[in-house]
PDB file of all heavy atoms in Angstrom:
ATOM      1  N   ILE A 553      -3.453-110.918  37.172  1.00  0.00           N
ATOM      2  CA  ILE A 553      -4.075-111.734  36.125  1.00  0.00           C
ATOM      3  C   ILE A 553      -5.362-112.333  36.682  1.00  0.00           C
ATOM      4  O   ILE A 553      -5.603-112.326  37.887  1.00  0.00           O
ATOM      5  CB  ILE A 553      -3.138-112.870  35.633  1.00  0.00           C
ATOM      6  CG1 ILE A 553      -2.683-113.757  36.809  1.00  0.00           C
ATOM      7  CG2 ILE A 553      -1.946-112.308  34.907  1.00  0.00           C
ATOM      8  CD1 ILE A 553      -3.449-115.021  37.010  1.00  0.00           C
ATOM      9  N   ARG A 554      -6.179-112.830  35.781  1.00  0.00           N
ATOM     10  CA  ARG A 554      -7.307-113.642  36.219  1.00  0.00           C
ATOM     11  C   ARG A 554      -7.389-114.860  35.314  1.00  0.00           C
ATOM     12  O   ARG A 554      -7.005-114.814  34.140  1.00  0.00           O
ATOM     13  CB  ARG A 554      -8.611-112.853  36.216  1.00  0.00           C
ATOM     14  CG  ARG A 554      -9.223-112.578  34.868  1.00  0.00           C
ATOM     15  CD  ARG A 554     -10.513-111.775  35.005  1.00  0.00           C
ATOM     16  NE  ARG A 554     -11.136-111.524  33.712  1.00  0.00           N
ATOM     17  CZ  ARG A 554     -12.124-112.240  33.205  1.00  0.00           C
ATOM     18  NH1 ARG A 554     -12.608-113.270  33.890  1.00  0.00           N
ATOM     19  NH2 ARG A 554     -12.640-111.938  32.018  1.00  0.00           N
ATOM     20  N   LEU A 555      -7.881-115.952  35.883  1.00  0.00           N
ATOM     21  CA  LEU A 555      -8.018-117.190  35.122  1.00  0.00           C
ATOM     22  C   LEU A 555      -9.296-117.132  34.290  1.00  0.00           C
ATOM     23  O   LEU A 555     -10.339-116.669  34.759  1.00  0.00           O
ATOM     24  CB  LEU A 555      -8.048-118.386  36.067  1.00  0.00           C
ATOM     25  CG  LEU A 555      -6.763-118.610  36.877  1.00  0.00           C
ATOM     26  CD1 LEU A 555      -6.956-119.712  37.901  1.00  0.00           C
ATOM     27  CD2 LEU A 555      -5.604-118.945  35.953  1.00  0.00           C
ATOM     28  N   ILE A 556      -9.195-117.602  33.055  1.00  0.00           N
ATOM     29  CA  ILE A 556     -10.345-117.604  32.157  1.00  0.00           C
ATOM     30  C   ILE A 556     -10.520-118.992  31.556  1.00  0.00           C
ATOM     31  O   ILE A 556      -9.591-119.812  31.572  1.00  0.00           O
ATOM     32  CB  ILE A 556     -10.178-116.562  31.030  1.00  0.00           C
ATOM     33  CG1 ILE A 556      -8.889-116.817  30.226  1.00  0.00           C
ATOM     34  CG2 ILE A 556     -10.205-115.147  31.590  1.00  0.00           C
ATOM     35  CD1 ILE A 556      -8.706-115.905  29.033  1.00  0.00           C
ATOM     36  N   HIS A 557     -11.697-119.262  31.038  1.00  0.00           N
ATOM     37  CA  HIS A 557     -12.003-120.541  30.401  1.00  0.00           C
ATOM     38  C   HIS A 557     -12.137-120.311  28.895  1.00  0.00           C
ATOM     39  O   HIS A 557     -13.018-119.583  28.447  1.00  0.00           O
ATOM     40  CB  HIS A 557     -13.299-121.126  30.974  1.00  0.00           C
ATOM     41  CG  HIS A 557     -13.194-121.460  32.426  1.00  0.00           C
ATOM     42  ND1 HIS A 557     -14.221-122.068  33.129  1.00  0.00           N
ATOM     43  CD2 HIS A 557     -12.185-121.298  33.324  1.00  0.00           C
ATOM     44  CE1 HIS A 557     -13.843-122.250  34.388  1.00  0.00           C
ATOM     45  NE2 HIS A 557     -12.614-121.771  34.527  1.00  0.00           N
ATOM     46  N   ILE A 558     -11.249-120.930  28.125  1.00  0.00           N
ATOM     47  CA  ILE A 558     -11.173-120.716  26.689  1.00  0.00           C
ATOM     48  C   ILE A 558     -11.716-121.949  25.968  1.00  0.00           C
ATOM     49  O   ILE A 558     -11.282-123.075  26.247  1.00  0.00           O
ATOM     50  CB  ILE A 558      -9.717-120.475  26.250  1.00  0.00           C
ATOM     51  CG1 ILE A 558      -9.115-119.281  27.012  1.00  0.00           C
ATOM     52  CG2 ILE A 558      -9.626-120.260  24.743  1.00  0.00           C
ATOM     53  CD1 ILE A 558      -7.622-119.132  26.825  1.00  0.00           C
ATOM     54  N   PRO A 559     -12.646-121.800  25.035  1.00  0.00           N
ATOM     55  CA  PRO A 559     -13.113-122.961  24.253  1.00  0.00           C
ATOM     56  C   PRO A 559     -11.929-123.662  23.600  1.00  0.00           C
ATOM     57  O   PRO A 559     -11.077-123.023  22.987  1.00  0.00           O
ATOM     58  CB  PRO A 559     -14.047-122.328  23.205  1.00  0.00           C
ATOM     59  CG  PRO A 559     -14.518-121.067  23.847  1.00  0.00           C
ATOM     60  CD  PRO A 559     -13.361-120.564  24.658  1.00  0.00           C
ATOM     61  N   ILE A 560     -11.861-124.966  23.740  1.00  0.00           N
ATOM     62  CA  ILE A 560     -10.687-125.724  23.317  1.00  0.00           C
ATOM     63  C   ILE A 560     -10.404-125.567  21.827  1.00  0.00           C
ATOM     64  O   ILE A 560      -9.237-125.567  21.394  1.00  0.00           O
ATOM     65  CB  ILE A 560     -10.845-127.224  23.697  1.00  0.00           C
ATOM     66  CG1 ILE A 560      -9.497-127.940  23.624  1.00  0.00           C
ATOM     67  CG2 ILE A 560     -11.892-127.899  22.846  1.00  0.00           C
ATOM     68  CD1 ILE A 560      -8.490-127.511  24.659  1.00  0.00           C
ATOM     69  N   GLU A 561     -11.451-125.385  21.013  1.00  0.00           N
ATOM     70  CA  GLU A 561     -11.225-125.285  19.562  1.00  0.00           C
ATOM     71  C   GLU A 561     -10.439-124.028  19.191  1.00  0.00           C
ATOM     72  O   GLU A 561      -9.843-123.946  18.109  1.00  0.00           O
ATOM     73  CB  GLU A 561     -12.548-125.310  18.803  1.00  0.00           C
ATOM     74  CG  GLU A 561     -13.507-124.188  19.116  1.00  0.00           C
ATOM     75  CD  GLU A 561     -14.477-124.520  20.243  1.00  0.00           C
ATOM     76  OE1 GLU A 561     -14.226-125.499  20.982  1.00  0.00           O
ATOM     77  OE2 GLU A 561     -15.487-123.805  20.371  1.00  0.00           O
ATOM     78  N   GLN A 562     -10.391-123.046  20.101  1.00  0.00           N
ATOM     79  CA  GLN A 562      -9.659-121.811  19.816  1.00  0.00           C
ATOM     80  C   GLN A 562      -8.151-121.950  20.031  1.00  0.00           C
ATOM     81  O   GLN A 562      -7.384-121.055  19.656  1.00  0.00           O
ATOM     82  CB  GLN A 562     -10.202-120.666  20.679  1.00  0.00           C
ATOM     83  CG  GLN A 562     -11.619-120.272  20.359  1.00  0.00           C
ATOM     84  CD  GLN A 562     -12.098-119.083  21.168  1.00  0.00           C
ATOM     85  OE1 GLN A 562     -11.299-118.332  21.738  1.00  0.00           O
ATOM     86  NE2 GLN A 562     -13.406-118.898  21.240  1.00  0.00           N
ATOM     87  N   VAL A 563      -7.732-123.040  20.646  1.00  0.00           N
ATOM     88  CA  VAL A 563      -6.301-123.218  20.926  1.00  0.00           C
ATOM     89  C   VAL A 563      -5.720-124.488  20.304  1.00  0.00           C
ATOM     90  O   VAL A 563      -4.546-124.777  20.485  1.00  0.00           O
ATOM     91  CB  VAL A 563      -6.028-123.220  22.448  1.00  0.00           C
ATOM     92  CG1 VAL A 563      -6.297-121.857  23.034  1.00  0.00           C
ATOM     93  CG2 VAL A 563      -6.857-124.274  23.163  1.00  0.00           C
ATOM     94  N   MET A 564      -6.521-125.230  19.567  1.00  0.00           N
ATOM     95  CA  MET A 564      -6.056-126.477  18.964  1.00  0.00           C
ATOM     96  C   MET A 564      -5.133-126.185  17.787  1.00  0.00           C
ATOM     97  O   MET A 564      -5.581-125.792  16.716  1.00  0.00           O
ATOM     98  CB  MET A 564      -7.245-127.330  18.523  1.00  0.00           C
ATOM     99  CG  MET A 564      -8.106-127.830  19.673  1.00  0.00           C
ATOM    100  SD  MET A 564      -9.699-128.526  19.132  1.00  0.00           S
ATOM    101  CE  MET A 564      -9.147-130.013  18.266  1.00  0.00           C
ATOM    102  N   LEU A 565      -3.832-126.336  18.007  1.00  0.00           N
ATOM    103  CA  LEU A 565      -2.798-126.128  16.985  1.00  0.00           C
ATOM    104  C   LEU A 565      -2.703-124.682  16.492  1.00  0.00           C
ATOM    105  O   LEU A 565      -2.061-124.414  15.478  1.00  0.00           O
ATOM    106  CB  LEU A 565      -2.991-127.075  15.790  1.00  0.00           C
ATOM    107  CG  LEU A 565      -2.589-128.528  16.018  1.00  0.00           C
ATOM    108  CD1 LEU A 565      -2.859-129.343  14.766  1.00  0.00           C
ATOM    109  CD2 LEU A 565      -1.119-128.660  16.418  1.00  0.00           C
ATOM    110  N   HIS A 566      -3.322-123.748  17.210  1.00  0.00           N
ATOM    111  CA  HIS A 566      -3.186-122.338  16.857  1.00  0.00           C
ATOM    112  C   HIS A 566      -1.937-121.793  17.551  1.00  0.00           C
ATOM    113  O   HIS A 566      -1.818-121.861  18.776  1.00  0.00           O
ATOM    114  CB  HIS A 566      -4.424-121.544  17.274  1.00  0.00           C
ATOM    115  CG  HIS A 566      -5.656-121.914  16.522  1.00  0.00           C
ATOM    116  ND1 HIS A 566      -5.787-121.697  15.172  1.00  0.00           N
ATOM    117  CD2 HIS A 566      -6.809-122.495  16.932  1.00  0.00           C
ATOM    118  CE1 HIS A 566      -6.973-122.120  14.770  1.00  0.00           C
ATOM    119  NE2 HIS A 566      -7.613-122.615  15.819  1.00  0.00           N
ATOM    120  N   GLU A 567      -1.013-121.239  16.786  1.00  0.00           N
ATOM    121  CA  GLU A 567       0.279-120.816  17.313  1.00  0.00           C
ATOM    122  C   GLU A 567       0.322-119.301  17.508  1.00  0.00           C
ATOM    123  O   GLU A 567      -0.060-118.540  16.621  1.00  0.00           O
ATOM    124  CB  GLU A 567       1.392-121.244  16.350  1.00  0.00           C
ATOM    125  CG  GLU A 567       2.751-121.360  16.979  1.00  0.00           C
ATOM    126  CD  GLU A 567       3.695-122.160  16.106  1.00  0.00           C
ATOM    127  OE1 GLU A 567       3.671-121.977  14.864  1.00  0.00           O
ATOM    128  OE2 GLU A 567       4.451-122.974  16.644  1.00  0.00           O
ATOM    129  N   ARG A 568       0.806-118.880  18.667  1.00  0.00           N
ATOM    130  CA  ARG A 568       0.891-117.449  18.995  1.00  0.00           C
ATOM    131  C   ARG A 568       2.350-116.994  18.928  1.00  0.00           C
ATOM    132  O   ARG A 568       3.192-117.497  19.666  1.00  0.00           O
ATOM    133  CB  ARG A 568       0.326-117.228  20.396  1.00  0.00           C
ATOM    134  CG  ARG A 568       0.419-115.798  20.919  1.00  0.00           C
ATOM    135  CD  ARG A 568      -0.337-115.703  22.225  1.00  0.00           C
ATOM    136  NE  ARG A 568      -0.218-114.399  22.855  1.00  0.00           N
ATOM    137  CZ  ARG A 568       0.543-114.144  23.900  1.00  0.00           C
ATOM    138  NH1 ARG A 568       1.271-115.118  24.448  1.00  0.00           N
ATOM    139  NH2 ARG A 568       0.602-112.940  24.429  1.00  0.00           N
ATOM    140  N   THR A 569       2.637-116.055  18.071  1.00  0.00           N
ATOM    141  CA  THR A 569       3.989-115.552  17.929  1.00  0.00           C
ATOM    142  C   THR A 569       4.103-114.155  18.545  1.00  0.00           C
ATOM    143  O   THR A 569       3.104-113.563  18.967  1.00  0.00           O
ATOM    144  CB  THR A 569       4.407-115.507  16.453  1.00  0.00           C
ATOM    145  OG1 THR A 569       3.455-114.726  15.722  1.00  0.00           O
ATOM    146  CG2 THR A 569       4.451-116.916  15.863  1.00  0.00           C
ATOM    147  N   MET A 570       5.307-113.627  18.585  1.00  0.00           N
ATOM    148  CA  MET A 570       5.549-112.298  19.149  1.00  0.00           C
ATOM    149  C   MET A 570       4.846-111.230  18.309  1.00  0.00           C
ATOM    150  O   MET A 570       5.024-111.174  17.091  1.00  0.00           O
ATOM    151  CB  MET A 570       7.046-112.012  19.161  1.00  0.00           C
ATOM    152  CG  MET A 570       7.852-112.847  20.129  1.00  0.00           C
ATOM    153  SD  MET A 570       8.134-112.014  21.706  1.00  0.00           S
ATOM    154  CE  MET A 570       9.160-110.640  21.219  1.00  0.00           C
ATOM    155  N   PRO A 571       4.064-110.361  18.927  1.00  0.00           N
ATOM    156  CA  PRO A 571       3.434-109.273  18.166  1.00  0.00           C
ATOM    157  C   PRO A 571       4.478-108.230  17.770  1.00  0.00           C
ATOM    158  O   PRO A 571       5.519-108.091  18.418  1.00  0.00           O
ATOM    159  CB  PRO A 571       2.424-108.696  19.159  1.00  0.00           C
ATOM    160  CG  PRO A 571       2.998-108.996  20.498  1.00  0.00           C
ATOM    161  CD  PRO A 571       3.683-110.320  20.350  1.00  0.00           C
ATOM    162  N   SER A 572       4.198-107.494  16.719  1.00  0.00           N
ATOM    163  CA  SER A 572       5.154-106.503  16.225  1.00  0.00           C
ATOM    164  C   SER A 572       5.459-105.424  17.260  1.00  0.00           C
ATOM    165  O   SER A 572       6.551-104.852  17.267  1.00  0.00           O
ATOM    166  CB  SER A 572       4.623-105.856  14.940  1.00  0.00           C
ATOM    167  OG  SER A 572       3.358-105.244  15.174  1.00  0.00           O
ATOM    168  N   SER A 573       4.511-105.165  18.156  1.00  0.00           N
ATOM    169  CA  SER A 573       4.723-104.133  19.184  1.00  0.00           C
ATOM    170  C   SER A 573       5.794-104.533  20.191  1.00  0.00           C
ATOM    171  O   SER A 573       6.288-103.684  20.943  1.00  0.00           O
ATOM    172  CB  SER A 573       3.410-103.850  19.918  1.00  0.00           C
ATOM    173  OG  SER A 573       2.926-105.018  20.567  1.00  0.00           O
ATOM    174  N   PHE A 574       6.153-105.810  20.215  1.00  0.00           N
ATOM    175  CA  PHE A 574       7.198-106.292  21.125  1.00  0.00           C
ATOM    176  C   PHE A 574       8.574-106.356  20.447  1.00  0.00           C
ATOM    177  O   PHE A 574       9.574-106.657  21.100  1.00  0.00           O
ATOM    178  CB  PHE A 574       6.843-107.687  21.644  1.00  0.00           C
ATOM    179  CG  PHE A 574       5.788-107.701  22.723  1.00  0.00           C
ATOM    180  CD1 PHE A 574       5.201-106.538  23.180  1.00  0.00           C
ATOM    181  CD2 PHE A 574       5.368-108.911  23.283  1.00  0.00           C
ATOM    182  CE1 PHE A 574       4.224-106.564  24.179  1.00  0.00           C
ATOM    183  CE2 PHE A 574       4.409-108.948  24.291  1.00  0.00           C
ATOM    184  CZ  PHE A 574       3.834-107.767  24.731  1.00  0.00           C
ATOM    185  N   ILE A 575       8.618-106.105  19.136  1.00  0.00           N
ATOM    186  CA  ILE A 575       9.856-106.243  18.372  1.00  0.00           C
ATOM    187  C   ILE A 575      10.354-104.867  17.944  1.00  0.00           C
ATOM    188  O   ILE A 575       9.597-104.062  17.390  1.00  0.00           O
ATOM    189  CB  ILE A 575       9.626-107.127  17.127  1.00  0.00           C
ATOM    190  CG1 ILE A 575       9.078-108.495  17.548  1.00  0.00           C
ATOM    191  CG2 ILE A 575      10.920-107.301  16.331  1.00  0.00           C
ATOM    192  CD1 ILE A 575       8.621-109.367  16.384  1.00  0.00           C
ATOM    193  N   ALA A 576      11.639-104.593  18.190  1.00  0.00           N
ATOM    194  CA  ALA A 576      12.220-103.299  17.818  1.00  0.00           C
ATOM    195  C   ALA A 576      12.181-103.120  16.309  1.00  0.00           C
ATOM    196  O   ALA A 576      12.299-104.093  15.550  1.00  0.00           O
ATOM    197  CB  ALA A 576      13.656-103.214  18.322  1.00  0.00           C
ATOM    198  N   PRO A 577      12.010-101.875  15.834  1.00  0.00           N
ATOM    199  CA  PRO A 577      11.893-101.612  14.384  1.00  0.00           C
ATOM    200  C   PRO A 577      13.058-102.163  13.566  1.00  0.00           C
ATOM    201  O   PRO A 577      12.854-102.592  12.422  1.00  0.00           O
ATOM    202  CB  PRO A 577      11.841-100.080  14.315  1.00  0.00           C
ATOM    203  CG  PRO A 577      11.266 -99.660  15.628  1.00  0.00           C
ATOM    204  CD  PRO A 577      11.804-100.644  16.623  1.00  0.00           C
ATOM    205  N   GLU A 578      14.261-102.162  14.135  1.00  0.00           N
ATOM    206  CA  GLU A 578      15.436-102.658  13.410  1.00  0.00           C
ATOM    207  C   GLU A 578      15.445-104.186  13.289  1.00  0.00           C
ATOM    208  O   GLU A 578      16.232-104.751  12.542  1.00  0.00           O
ATOM    209  CB  GLU A 578      16.722-102.198  14.096  1.00  0.00           C
ATOM    210  CG  GLU A 578      17.085-100.757  13.827  1.00  0.00           C
ATOM    211  CD  GLU A 578      17.472-100.528  12.376  1.00  0.00           C
ATOM    212  OE1 GLU A 578      18.378-101.219  11.874  1.00  0.00           O
ATOM    213  OE2 GLU A 578      16.839 -99.663  11.739  1.00  0.00           O
ATOM    214  N   GLY A 579      14.585-104.841  14.051  1.00  0.00           N
ATOM    215  CA  GLY A 579      14.499-106.302  13.989  1.00  0.00           C
ATOM    216  C   GLY A 579      15.607-107.038  14.700  1.00  0.00           C
ATOM    217  O   GLY A 579      15.749-108.253  14.540  1.00  0.00           O
ATOM    218  N   ASN A 580      16.394-106.332  15.514  1.00  0.00           N
ATOM    219  CA  ASN A 580      17.490-106.979  16.233  1.00  0.00           C
ATOM    220  C   ASN A 580      17.433-106.732  17.735  1.00  0.00           C
ATOM    221  O   ASN A 580      18.450-106.784  18.430  1.00  0.00           O
ATOM    222  CB  ASN A 580      18.843-106.519  15.678  1.00  0.00           C
ATOM    223  CG  ASN A 580      19.044-105.011  15.769  1.00  0.00           C
ATOM    224  OD1 ASN A 580      18.238-104.300  16.382  1.00  0.00           O
ATOM    225  ND2 ASN A 580      20.104-104.513  15.140  1.00  0.00           N
ATOM    226  N   ASP A 581      16.226-106.484  18.234  1.00  0.00           N
ATOM    227  CA  ASP A 581      16.041-106.247  19.665  1.00  0.00           C
ATOM    228  C   ASP A 581      14.551-106.305  19.984  1.00  0.00           C
ATOM    229  O   ASP A 581      13.717-106.537  19.098  1.00  0.00           O
ATOM    230  CB  ASP A 581      16.628-104.892  20.065  1.00  0.00           C
ATOM    231  CG  ASP A 581      17.089-104.847  21.525  1.00  0.00           C
ATOM    232  OD1 ASP A 581      16.579-105.655  22.341  1.00  0.00           O
ATOM    233  OD2 ASP A 581      17.954-104.015  21.850  1.00  0.00           O
TER     234      ASP A 581
END
Side-chain angles (χ1 to χ4, degrees):
I553 56 98
R554 75 180 181 98
L555 296 173
I556 57 175
H557 296 184
I558 303 170
I560 196 68
E561 61 269 16
Q562 294 184 18
V563 293
M564 294 167 68
L565 285 179
H566 293 295
E567 203 163 41
R568 177 173 175 256
T569 56
M570 291 264 294
S572 58
S573 61
F574 283 0
I575 303 171
E578 283 292 305
N580 59 8
D581 208 337

